[in-house]
């Protein structure tokens, strides 16, 4: 059932985001090492920054997964009710 409040009560596919982050982390590590070995410090630094961003994103995702149903309810938990009052 659609309530119209989906943008504020939407649930994220955290496990899919985690695996995409793992994939990105592997490629960022590989890129950092490969560019450093071939003598491209600019590209190695760019991959290193990407490595940092992916690591922070993965940390946030894992934190949200560990928060449990309050943050990420499962299929058996109904979505949060939309606010009863509407602003004009």
């Amino acid at each position: 059932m659609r309530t119209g409040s989906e943008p504020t009560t939407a649930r994220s596919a955290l496990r899919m985001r985690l695996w995409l982050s793992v994939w990105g982390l592997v490629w960022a590590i590989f890129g950092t090492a490969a560019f450093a070995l071939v003598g491209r410090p600019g590209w190695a630094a760019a991959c290193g920054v990407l490595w940092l961003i992916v690591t922070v994103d993965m940390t946030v995702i894992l934190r949200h997964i560990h928060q449990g149903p309050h943050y990420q309810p499962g299929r058996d938990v109904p979505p949060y009710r939309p606010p009863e009052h509407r602003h004009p």
Side-chain angles (χ1 to χ4, degrees), residues 49-70:
V49 169
L50 184 62
W51 182 356
L52 178 66
I53 291 170
V54 171
T55 302
V56 169
D57 184 46
M58 190 180 304
T59 303
V60 170
I61 292 168
L62 287 172
R63 180 174 176 264
H64 287 172
I65 287 174
H66 287 283
Q67 283 179 339
H70 173 69

Side-chain angles (χ1 to χ4, degrees), residues 1-86:
M1 179 177 81
R2 297 189 69 107
T3 62
S5 66
E6 284 81 9
T8 58
T9 60
R11 298 175 181 164
S12 175
L14 290 176
R15 286 186 181 87
M16 182 179 66
R17 284 181 56 198
L18 176 66
W19 287 111
L20 288 172
S21 290
V22 168
W23 181 253
L25 184 69
V26 168
W27 279 104
I29 292 170
F30 173 76
T32 303
F35 284 122
L37 288 174
V38 297
R40 300 283 190 168
W43 283 104
C47 287
V49 169
L50 184 62
W51 182 356
L52 178 66
I53 291 170
V54 171
T55 302
V56 169
D57 184 46
M58 190 180 304
T59 303
V60 170
I61 292 168
L62 287 172
R63 180 174 176 264
H64 287 172
I65 287 174
H66 287 283
Q67 283 179 339
H70 173 69
Y71 184 82
Q72 186 72 18
R75 295 180 192 268
D76 57 336
V77 178
Y80 297 120
R81 295 191 52 81
E84 298 297 326
H85 61 287
R86 294 198 176 234

